[in-house]
Amino acid sequence: DTDTRFSSDTDFSEDPDGRNPSLAKGKVLKAHKALCPWFEWHGKHDAVRGGEDGQECDAVMSDLKFVIFLQSVVDDWIVAYKHDRDVALLDLINFFIQCSGCKGVVSGEMFRNMQNSEIIRRMTEEFDEDSGDYPLTIAGPQWKKFKSSFCEFISVLVRQCQYSIIYDEYMMDTVISLLTGLSDSQVRAFRHTSTLAAMKLMTALVNVALNLSINMDNTQRQYEAERNKIVAKRANDRLELLLQKRKELQENQDEIENMMNAIFKGVFVHRYRDSIAEIRAICIEEIGVWMKLYSDAFLNDSYLKYVGWTMHDKQGEVRLKCLTALQGLYYNRELNARLELFTSRFKDRIVSMTLDKEYDVAVQAIKLLTLVLNSTDEVLTPEDCESVYHLVYSAHRPVAIAAGEFLFKKLFSQREPEEEGAPKRRGRQSPNANLIKTTVFFFLESELHEHAAYLVDSLWECGAELLKDWECMISLLLDDPLPGEEALTERQETALIEIMLCTVRQAAECHPPVGRGTGKRVMTAKEKKTQMDDRTRMTELFAVALPPLLAKYAVDAEKVTNLLQLPQFFDLEIYTTGRLEKHLESLLRQIREIVEKHTDTEVLEVCSKTYHALCNEEFTIFNRVDIARSQLLDELVDKFNRLLEDFLQEGEDADEDDAYQVLSTLKRITAFHNAHDLSGWDLFTSNFKLLNTGIENGDMPEQIVIHSLQCTHYVILWHLAKSSEGSSRKDDLVTLRKQMRAFCMMCQRYLTNVNTAVKEQAFTILCDLLLIFSHQMVSGGREHLDSLVYSPEDSLQSELLSFILNHVFIDQDDDTNSTDGQQDDEAVKIEALHKRRNLLAAYCKLIIYCVVEMRTGADIFKQYMRYYNDYGDIIKETMSKTRQIDKIQCAKTLILSLQQLFNEMLSELGHGFDRSSSAFCGIKELARRFSLTFGLDQVKTRDAIAMLHKDGIEFAFKDPSPQGEGGPPLNLAFLDILSEFSSKLMRQDKRTVHMYLERFMTFQMALQREDCWLPLISYRNSLQAGGDDDTMSVMSGYSSRGSSIRSKKTKPPVATAGTSAAKRNMQTPVMLPSPHLTSTAMRDPKRGRDDSFMGVYPLPHDQQQPHQHPQHHQQTPQHHQTPMDYKYAYPSVAFLRSGFHNYAMVCFSSRRGTGLMEEDEEPIVEDVMMSSEGRMDDLNEGMDFDTMDIDLTLPARLQRRQSAAPSWVRMEPHKKN
């Protein structure tokens, strides 16, 4: 190999050595090998080493040397082309063929004597790979490099040949003709690879045309400048040279335009509508490049229309390419004038794509509208902008960020300019003041007041500087308005405080709000430094400003709730290092005053959390805060004990003011007990006394009982937390056990309270305690807590279940929780439903963790269909978890729920009910749903399904007939419901269940034909082994017979078109013995139940054979079927015809199917071509995808196969319409 490097094809006039006539062929071979060094196709290509030291190609490609290596390959090919262009072109043709994954090789004789269409047909016949993959579709970094290298090679080839070879009317004509023919192939690999090559070739020609255009302009200017000189200074020779050069350039330009037209009309116009999305995406991506590179020639409506039409494509990948192509055009403002007509025509489509189901497409559509907005404000109407504004609240973060950038450009682009040299304005006078007000106005107008965090997160990347101007926000809240400035309203102040809190949280935590993040991201060093700087600055600002803010808004619960959350994000060390202790004292005083003023639970809880955040032992301010907290709690507990004693002594004489004082103090204590350990104050005794008095007297106010229950619950949990540390004494465990059991009994007594809210609180707390103190609490090395384990008694389980049935499974109109005439208020109904869902989830957790018996879940499972919309997800998850715990017990619970519903139906309709009634059909539909939950793996659920059938059969025959002897059992109709689970039985288990069923039957039952016995008949038929399974085996057998004979591997049979979807769903993955070739599908319709029914029933007991073990039946299956008449034992001609036809069509299907490929498989072709006639019409544009058939001669192997088949199954080649 030579190390010579050439810049272009003009450097070659002869062999550099002048002595080696075979050098060209050697260089071609080197070029051919180097063109394909990145893939090994069925062992044909070996690993190629590039460079002088023998480094592997991967190393070459990962380094800049690859560019030099590729240029060397092209230069060597050019040398070979100049010596023998046919040989060189032959290798280039084989390069394109083999890059498609085809093992065929075009010989020199084929190249000289055959047309392109004949060559392509020959290569199609030899395209017999075992897989549907080819280099462009194989995953992995190596193949991505192959694709980029393949494209780069074409670009370098044209660039190196641009001065002479591409104008020789041979090389480019041959390549374009070949690629055009391959792009029309029905072989996807050929079509995909050649389209990519043609589009990249077109892009390279566009670059050549652009260079020619620039050179022509320069030559024209030089000519004009020379001609305008005076005659004495004018050089006529130079003018002639410039004229000749301009003429040559014009001729070359015409040649390039002819080539581009040939590619555009021969490839692009057809392939931009190809059935393969990847091919359509390639075309749209490249046309965007052409319009951007050579806008003078391509940026017009004749080419833009293709992008506009394709924006309606069904595949998101193609729509995405359209948008990215347009972004490159709109980014250049100089091109905006040429895009006016396109914008007016397709603007509505772009706006609608912001709501695309593919999030990537929606993001790019918003970014495109942002570019349109930058170009001109007049194009987008207010309605168009509003459709993008609301996307800042999207749960998908990239969409929200793109919408935030659009919003920022639209609303915040007009900023007041600052005068140079003037002092920087701060506070209300800063340039950000109006922008912050605009943010508040937008937030209020959007009417999504609970989503300020989402708005802040959307604007964070583009407007962080604005959102972190906390000094301006504080000034807007505390300072008086300037003269002539309108002050913020109370509603606007509330919104500003909420936005300010969200910006502080975003800066301190550096992650998006709940529901928008994809997991914690590792922060960079720069991001960590920014986070620390922001926390320091916010602490310095708000440590000083927070006390006056709390003092100003102390009576406003909503404002105070948001302001009190700010200290949770402080860097508490700043209080000491910044000498801000006096501001800390002021903050603690304000919090104390707020606790004393407010009784709202939300305000009290946020005060408790603020004390908890400030009481951090790592910081020196801990002692100050701890003393203030202890003083506050001492006063609250002393006041509560004093008030409670007086309140209990007064009894019925206590007035509302005394009750209010007790309630308000209890609320404060409960809120603090949630976050702080108040074990030092004996709150259990006082609260238990209060609860016991409420039980005895029955007149305790509702809210007092609710908060007392909650406070006592916290006492138990804090006591348990201390005991779990392992250092607790035995006396403490005994005390905790007594308190816990006494409190559980108290909650159980409150389950019968007349007040619904009290019962719900008692139920929730009781479920939590039972779960916490269950047998699982001793796991994880906590065996010392074994004495605390508490299992509920049957009476308690029964009461809990009754509560669920009476308070959860109720109609919406029956819910009496909504008051004040708000029954019709949608928000109230949603809140009530949410509460009931929490109650159901609390009880279902007891079932899942085996706190209560699993069989109690039957009353829950039977509500699955009736309350599917409200609780379907909870019930389904409970069934799934219980099945993981114990499959058999879960199956017994499911059948028990169906039995309960059946008994309820009997009590309501009587034993003579109609099996077509809605009640019975509803039970049967529920059974079908239960059956679907068992999945497709029959082996895993085998025992559970068998036990389910056993219990169902016993239930069906449990009660005698109400009509007396000879009548059907009372519950016989239940077998109709049970038959829904027959498809989940394995074949051998069906026979076992059938034998178990026969134990309950008498000989007379087998002879009955009345309608009342139909459930038994249908259930027995569903248990007949080989019924549906044999049918499927026969119908799939014909479709796979041909492939199974020659296949070297065991391949699963593929169902033909004649197999119904229902039968395919019934087929299980269990390996069953191959059935005999019997056609139940072609059974004589006249052979009814009466003719064949006797053969499947048992003989009287004296004539029966001894009972055999079920395992013996599995080994020697016996079909319970009447011997079939031979005239019905073989499929009809019509059936054979359809089977062979389906098999023939399968041979021409895609290679991605399983179990169809063979060693001698025929070429894989796809009848997927799409016509280019007419305009593209899809969705809104009404895209009309027509098929175009290519005339392909059948390969020899397929012709031989057809010659052996009857004439009516021979496939004829597709003809053009």
Side-chain angles (χ1 to χ4, degrees):
D1 294 341
T2 179
D3 296 331
T4 307
R5 298 293 182 265
F6 303 100
S7 60
S8 71
D9 60 313
T10 56
D11 298 332
F12 301 101
S13 57
E14 57 182 358
D15 180 5
D17 297 333
R19 297 174 298 176
N20 190 359
S22 63
L23 176 64
K25 187 173 182 179
K27 287 185 174 293
V28 169
L29 293 176
K30 175 193 172 183
H32 177 63
K33 289 183 178 180
L35 295 178
C36 308
W38 310 282
F39 67 99
E40 181 177 355
W41 199 251
H42 293 279
K44 185 175 183 64
H45 302 282
D46 297 324
V48 177
R49 299 180 180 275
E52 296 180 358
D53 359 319
Q55 296 178 343
E56 292 190 1
C57 240
D58 291 342
V60 177
M61 285 197 302
S62 61
D63 192 50
L64 185 60
K65 294 180 181 179
F66 171 69
V67 178
I68 302 175
F69 170 69
L70 194 58
Q71 290 179 350
S72 174
V73 170
V74 174
D75 291 339
D76 293 340
W77 183 88
I78 292 174
V79 172
Y81 183 85
K82 287 186 171 291
H83 282 79
D84 191 337
R85 62 184 187 180
D86 289 340
V87 174
L89 277 178
L90 180 61
D91 275 286
L92 187 60
I93 290 173
N94 280 316
F95 166 69
F96 287 122
I97 294 294
Q98 293 171 11
C99 281
S100 302
C102 179
K103 297 166 66 174
V105 177
V106 180
S107 64
E109 182 180 357
M110 294 169 58
F111 179 66
R112 289 189 298 270
N113 302 326
M114 298 175 64
Q115 297 294 328
N116 281 337
S117 59
E118 297 174 341
I119 295 176
I120 294 172
R121 184 179 294 110
R122 179 71 61 85
M123 293 299 102
T124 300
E125 295 174 4
E126 299 188 16
F127 203 108
D128 54 351
E129 300 299 330
D130 296 332
S131 169
D133 293 329
Y134 48 94
L136 291 183
T137 59
I138 301 178
Q142 179 182 5
W143 299 103
K144 289 183 179 179
K145 289 181 179 180
F146 163 76
K147 180 178 179 180
S148 61
S149 304
F150 178 73
C151 299
E152 180 64 22
F153 163 75
I154 296 174
S155 176
V156 173
L157 178 65
V158 174
R159 185 169 64 247
Q160 298 293 84
C161 298
Q162 65 178 319
Y163 298 107
S164 65
I165 291 183
I166 62 174
Y167 306 112
D168 66 358
E169 298 183 355
Y170 184 71
M171 178 261 196
M172 290 302 296
D173 291 351
T174 304
V175 172
I176 292 175
S177 177
L178 172 72
L179 295 179
T180 302
L182 287 173
S183 68
D184 279 337
S185 173
Q186 288 184 321
V187 178
R188 173 177 172 174
F190 282 154
R191 202 164 70 255
H192 189 179
T193 307
S194 60
T195 301
L196 175 62
M199 294 299 99
K200 291 300 179 180
L201 182 63
M202 177 79 165
T203 302
L205 291 177
V206 168
N207 280 300
V208 174
L210 180 62
N211 293 334
L212 289 174
S213 177
I214 295 173
N215 290 335
M216 286 179 62
D217 293 341
N218 293 337
T219 303
Q220 183 65 26
R221 284 195 298 270
Q222 294 174 8
Y223 176 80
E224 295 294 338
E226 188 68 28
R227 192 180 62 177
N228 291 335
K229 291 180 181 179
I230 60 177
V231 177
K233 295 184 177 181
R234 184 185 303 167
N236 294 328
D237 295 341
R238 178 172 174 76
L239 286 176
E240 293 180 1
L241 289 174
L242 290 174
L243 283 174
Q244 182 65 25
K245 182 179 180 181
R246 187 179 66 177
K247 182 179 178 182
E248 293 178 358
L249 291 174
Q250 184 62 50
E251 293 176 353
N252 292 342
Q253 183 80 0
D254 295 340
E255 286 286 338
I256 295 297
E257 290 180 358
N258 291 334
M259 298 176 194
M260 292 191 298
N261 287 334
I263 297 176
F264 187 82
K265 295 179 180 180
V267 180
F268 178 88
V269 171
H270 298 277
R271 299 282 68 79
Y272 90 101
R273 306 180 62 183
D274 196 277
S275 63
I276 305 302
E278 293 92 332
I279 298 177
R280 302 199 299 271
I282 290 173
C283 294
I284 297 303
E285 181 180 14
E286 294 305 315
I287 196 175
V289 175
W290 307 337
M291 290 187 288
K292 183 179 179 181
L293 287 178
Y294 198 5
S295 57
D296 292 339
F298 288 96
L299 189 56
N300 54 61
D301 298 332
S302 299
Y303 295 97
L304 282 170
K305 65 182 179 182
Y306 296 106
V307 181
W309 293 343
T310 315
M311 282 195 295
H312 297 274
D313 196 280
K314 295 180 180 180
Q315 296 296 325
E317 176 187 359
V318 183
R319 299 195 299 272
L320 185 63
K321 293 297 183 182
C322 293
L323 294 172
T324 53
L326 292 174
Q327 287 176 13
L329 302 178
Y330 281 98
Y331 185 80
N332 188 353
R333 294 193 176 187
E334 297 178 357
L335 305 178
N336 291 334
R338 304 182 187 180
L339 294 168
E340 290 181 356
L341 181 60
F342 176 85
T343 304
S344 62
R345 172 64 181 84
F346 292 100
K347 179 199 67 174
D348 294 340
R349 174 56 184 162
I350 299 174
V351 173
S352 67
M353 292 175 75
T354 59
L355 300 176
D356 197 279
K357 64 179 181 179
E358 301 287 345
Y359 287 123
D360 293 341
V361 177
V363 169
Q364 299 305 323
I366 298 171
K367 290 183 177 181
L368 178 59
L369 289 178
T370 305
L371 294 175
V372 174
L373 187 66
N374 290 337
S375 61
T376 175
D377 293 335
E378 301 175 355
V379 175
L380 298 179
T381 63
E383 292 77 12
D384 297 334
C385 296
E386 289 174 3
S387 64
V388 182
Y389 290 162
H390 76 277
L391 294 176
V392 297
Y393 298 104
S394 172
H396 191 262
R397 192 163 190 260
V399 172
I401 291 176
E405 183 179 358
F406 179 89
L407 176 66
F408 192 82
K409 294 283 186 183
K410 180 66 177 178
L411 299 183
F412 306 139
S413 57
Q414 304 297 331
R415 178 178 296 195
E416 298 179 7
E418 296 187 15
E419 299 179 2
E420 296 183 2
K424 188 175 182 180
R425 293 177 294 171
R426 297 181 178 276
R428 299 185 75 101
Q429 301 180 358
S430 70
N432 289 335
N434 289 332
L435 301 182
I436 292 175
K437 289 182 181 180
T438 304
T439 306
V440 173
F441 299 155
F442 173 80
F443 176 58
L444 293 175
E445 290 176 1
S446 64
E447 298 181 356
L448 294 169
H449 310 305
E450 299 179 0
H451 298 80
Y454 289 84
L455 174 61
V456 169
D457 181 58
S458 301
L459 296 172
W460 193 256
E461 291 193 3
C462 57
E465 180 183 356
L466 168 66
L467 296 176
K468 289 192 290 189
D469 193 350
W470 296 305
E471 185 178 359
C472 179
M473 297 181 186
I474 294 171
S475 178
L476 288 173
L477 293 170
L478 291 178
D479 298 344
D480 295 331
L482 299 173
E485 181 184 7
E486 186 177 355
L488 294 176
T489 64
E490 183 176 343
R491 184 165 174 258
Q492 292 169 351
E493 288 177 340
T494 303
L496 177 56
I497 291 174
E498 185 177 359
I499 292 174
M500 182 173 66
L501 170 64
C502 294
T503 58
V504 169
R505 181 188 293 113
Q506 186 87 5
E509 297 180 349
C510 292
H511 64 75
V514 177
R516 224 182 231 184
T518 57
K520 290 189 176 181
R521 183 177 59 89
V522 179
M523 297 173 58
T524 62
K526 182 179 180 181
E527 291 174 337
K528 290 181 179 179
K529 184 179 184 304
T530 302
Q531 180 189 29
M532 294 175 60
D533 294 343
D534 289 341
R535 288 193 66 186
T536 300
R537 190 167 67 88
M538 78 174 65
T539 305
E540 293 173 349
L541 287 173
F542 287 103
V544 178
L546 186 56
L549 285 172
L550 291 174
K552 180 177 181 180
Y553 302 109
V555 296
D556 192 318
E558 187 176 1
K559 293 185 177 69
V560 166
T561 301
N562 287 325
L563 289 172
L564 282 174
Q565 296 181 49
L566 293 174
Q568 300 176 22
F569 309 103
F570 285 180
D571 182 4
L572 299 180
E573 193 65 31
I574 300 298
Y575 275 112
T576 304
T577 58
R579 299 177 181 271
L580 302 175
E581 288 87 352
K582 63 177 182 178
H583 297 288
L584 176 62
E585 295 290 346
S586 177
L587 174 62
L588 294 175
R589 285 196 304 270
Q590 291 297 328
I591 297 177
R592 181 188 180 94
E593 293 178 4
I594 290 172
V595 172
E596 295 174 351
K597 289 180 181 179
H598 288 271
T599 59
D600 186 78
T601 302
E602 190 174 0
V603 175
L604 296 175
E605 287 182 352
V606 75
C607 289
S608 174
K609 291 180 181 178
T610 302
Y611 270 114
H612 184 269
L614 296 174
C615 286
N616 193 329
E617 298 180 2
E618 298 179 0
F619 301 100
T620 55
I621 64 172
F622 170 74
N623 292 330
R624 293 173 180 263
V625 181
D626 187 46
I627 293 173
R629 179 185 61 175
S630 300
Q631 292 176 351
L632 175 61
L633 292 176
D634 282 338
E635 295 180 6
L636 288 176
V637 174
D638 292 343
K639 181 180 179 180
F640 173 69
N641 290 330
R642 185 176 65 255
L643 291 172
L644 180 62
E645 184 177 358
D646 296 340
F647 180 74
L648 295 179
Q649 287 180 357
E650 294 178 2
E652 298 180 356
D653 298 334
D655 56 11
E656 293 182 359
D657 185 62
D658 295 335
Y660 175 77
Q661 291 294 328
V662 173
L663 175 61
S664 59
T665 308
L666 182 59
K667 275 186 173 183
R668 296 184 179 102
I669 293 176
T670 303
F672 273 85
H673 208 351
N674 186 14
H676 304 270
D677 184 10
L678 305 185
S679 301
W681 297 268
D682 186 16
L683 293 173
F684 182 84
T685 302
S686 56
N687 277 282
F688 193 83
K689 184 178 180 180
L690 187 152
L691 292 172
N692 193 45
T693 304
I695 288 290
E696 295 175 354
N697 299 337
D699 57 351
M700 189 68 65
E702 167 190 327
Q703 290 298 317
I704 292 180
V705 175
I706 290 176
H707 285 87
S708 182
L709 287 170
Q710 190 66 52
C711 185
T712 311
H713 182 49
Y714 290 149
V715 172
I716 299 294
L717 294 182
W718 277 107
H719 198 169
L720 176 63
K722 295 178 65 176
S723 301
S724 300
E725 297 175 356
S727 59
S728 58
R729 297 176 301 175
K730 186 175 181 180
D731 295 342
D732 294 337
L733 294 178
V734 173
T735 302
L736 175 59
R737 184 174 185 272
K738 291 181 179 179
Q739 291 180 351
M740 180 268 298
R741 290 178 178 267
F743 184 54
C744 286
M745 294 181 63
M746 183 67 67
C747 291
Q748 183 178 357
R749 297 171 67 185
Y750 269 104
L751 286 177
T752 58
N753 193 278
V754 296
N755 191 282
T756 302
V758 172
K759 289 190 289 187
E760 291 177 349
Q761 180 76 347
F763 176 84
T764 304
I765 292 176
L766 194 54
C767 289
D768 289 345
L769 288 176
L770 291 176
L771 190 60
I772 293 171
F773 288 91
S774 65
H775 60 279
Q776 301 188 25
M777 74 178 303
V778 299
S779 61
R782 295 190 295 267
E783 289 78 7
H784 63 284
L785 301 178
D786 184 63
S787 59
L788 299 178
V789 175
Y790 177 60
S791 299
E793 299 177 354
D794 293 341
S795 60
L796 178 56
Q797 295 187 34
S798 178
E799 288 191 45
L800 292 174
L801 181 59
S802 299
F803 177 87
I804 287 293
L805 297 178
N806 296 330
H807 293 82
V808 174
F809 295 108
I810 57 177
D811 294 332
Q812 190 75 262
D813 297 336
D814 298 336
D815 187 9
T816 58
N817 292 336
S818 302
T819 56
D820 300 331
Q822 295 178 330
Q823 287 284 348
D824 296 332
D825 189 354
E826 192 67 25
V828 174
K829 290 183 178 181
I830 294 175
E831 183 65 26
L833 176 60
H834 181 67
K835 185 184 297 183
R836 294 196 300 272
R837 286 175 56 86
N838 287 336
L839 294 174
L840 178 60
Y843 184 78
C844 288
K845 283 190 290 185
L846 299 181
I847 299 175
I848 293 172
Y849 289 96
C850 302
V851 178
V852 299
E853 295 181 5
M854 190 181 295
R855 64 189 307 272
T856 60
D859 293 278
I860 307 296
F861 297 160
K862 70 183 183 182
Q863 311 289 346
Y864 181 63
M865 287 294 296
R866 183 178 178 185
Y867 295 95
Y868 180 81
N869 293 333
D870 294 340
Y871 318 116
D873 55 337
I874 299 176
I875 298 176
K876 186 175 182 180
E877 183 67 17
T878 305
M879 286 190 289
S880 175
K881 294 295 184 181
T882 53
R883 184 174 292 113
Q884 295 174 13
I885 297 171
D886 190 339
K887 294 183 177 65
I888 295 180
Q889 189 60 38
C890 176
K892 293 172 74 69
T893 304
L894 291 178
I895 200 66
L896 178 60
S897 64
L898 296 173
Q899 293 170 5
Q900 291 177 357
L901 288 175
F902 188 83
N903 286 332
E904 293 173 6
M905 182 193 65
L906 285 181
S907 61
E908 181 181 352
L909 303 179
H911 67 275
F913 66 91
D914 184 4
R915 286 190 295 113
S916 62
S917 62
S918 60
F920 184 81
C921 293
I923 302 175
K924 193 170 182 179
E925 175 63 17
L926 178 61
R928 189 186 70 83
R929 294 290 186 95
F930 284 168
S931 175
L932 294 176
T933 61
F934 283 94
L936 298 176
D937 194 341
Q938 292 178 321
V939 177
K940 290 184 179 180
T941 61
R942 181 179 184 181
D943 294 338
I945 292 294
M947 183 60 66
L948 185 146
H949 280 273
K950 176 180 177 296
D951 289 356
I953 292 173
E954 293 174 353
F955 174 78
F957 290 93
K958 180 178 65 173
D959 297 328
S961 173
Q963 302 173 1
E965 186 177 355
L970 177 64
N971 301 332
L972 186 67
F974 188 79
L975 293 178
D976 202 3
I977 298 172
L978 191 61
S979 63
E980 295 292 336
F981 298 92
S982 297
S983 62
K984 296 299 178 180
L985 284 168
M986 297 178 66
R987 176 178 298 186
Q988 53 267 42
D989 292 341
K990 285 184 179 182
R991 298 173 54 245
T992 303
V993 171
H994 185 271
M995 293 175 61
Y996 187 77
L997 174 66
E998 290 175 346
R999 295 182 184 180
F1000 294 86
M1001 294 175 54
T1002 64
F1003 180 72
Q1004 289 74 18
M1005 289 183 182
L1007 303 178
Q1008 300 299 328
R1009 295 295 182 271
E1010 291 80 3
D1011 289 343
C1012 58
W1013 293 95
L1014 285 179
L1016 176 60
I1017 297 172
S1018 62
Y1019 181 59
R1020 294 191 65 186
N1021 289 340
S1022 68
L1023 296 177
Q1024 296 303 308
D1028 295 331
D1029 296 332
D1030 284 344
T1031 303
M1032 288 188 299
S1033 301
V1034 171
M1035 300 186 72
S1036 61
Y1038 276 97
S1039 64
S1040 59
R1041 176 185 294 183
S1043 61
S1044 62
I1045 295 175
R1046 295 181 301 274
S1047 178
K1048 296 181 179 180
K1049 300 179 181 179
T1050 302
K1051 299 184 172 81
V1054 178
T1056 65
T1059 309
S1060 64
K1063 292 180 180 178
R1064 285 196 300 269
N1065 292 336
M1066 292 171 57
Q1067 197 168 8
T1068 61
V1070 182
M1071 297 303 296
L1072 300 176
S1074 300
H1076 297 290
L1077 184 59
T1078 58
S1079 178
T1080 57
M1082 304 308 298
R1083 183 177 299 164
D1084 190 348
K1086 296 181 181 180
R1087 291 176 62 89
R1089 185 174 59 248
D1090 296 336
D1091 297 335
S1092 59
F1093 201 76
M1094 288 296 297
V1096 300
Y1097 287 100
L1099 297 174
H1101 291 286
D1102 55 349
Q1103 302 180 22
Q1104 287 185 6
Q1105 297 178 358
H1107 177 66
Q1108 298 178 358
H1109 197 272
Q1111 291 183 356
H1112 178 72
H1113 286 273
Q1114 296 178 18
Q1115 296 172 0
T1116 59
Q1118 299 176 3
H1119 296 275
H1120 294 277
Q1121 293 182 349
T1122 304
M1124 185 175 295
D1125 192 334
Y1126 283 105
K1127 67 179 181 179
Y1128 301 110
Y1130 297 97
S1132 66
V1133 174
F1135 180 76
L1136 287 173
R1137 184 191 302 261
S1138 63
F1140 277 109
H1141 177 70
N1142 291 330
Y1143 172 68
M1145 295 309 295
V1146 164
C1147 291
F1148 268 76
S1149 63
S1150 173
R1151 272 191 279 188
R1152 299 187 182 274
T1154 58
L1156 296 176
M1157 300 309 301
E1158 309 173 35
E1159 294 292 333
D1160 58 346
E1161 187 81 6
E1162 306 307 332
I1164 307 304
V1165 296
E1166 296 176 349
D1167 186 13
V1168 292
M1169 309 305 296
M1170 309 178 98
S1171 173
S1172 61
E1173 298 178 1
R1175 55 175 297 176
M1176 196 172 189
D1177 222 290
D1178 184 19
L1179 295 180
N1180 295 343
E1181 292 292 329
M1183 298 176 70
D1184 183 17
F1185 287 86
D1186 297 328
T1187 59
M1188 181 177 65
D1189 295 332
I1190 303 300
D1191 185 8
L1192 290 176
T1193 303
L1194 290 180
R1197 286 186 298 274
L1198 188 55
Q1199 292 177 0
R1200 292 194 299 268
R1201 181 178 300 176
Q1202 277 202 295
S1203 63
S1207 59
W1208 41 266
V1209 298
R1210 294 180 185 171
M1211 294 174 294
E1212 297 298 331
H1214 296 289
K1215 301 296 183 182
K1216 292 184 179 180
N1217 295 330

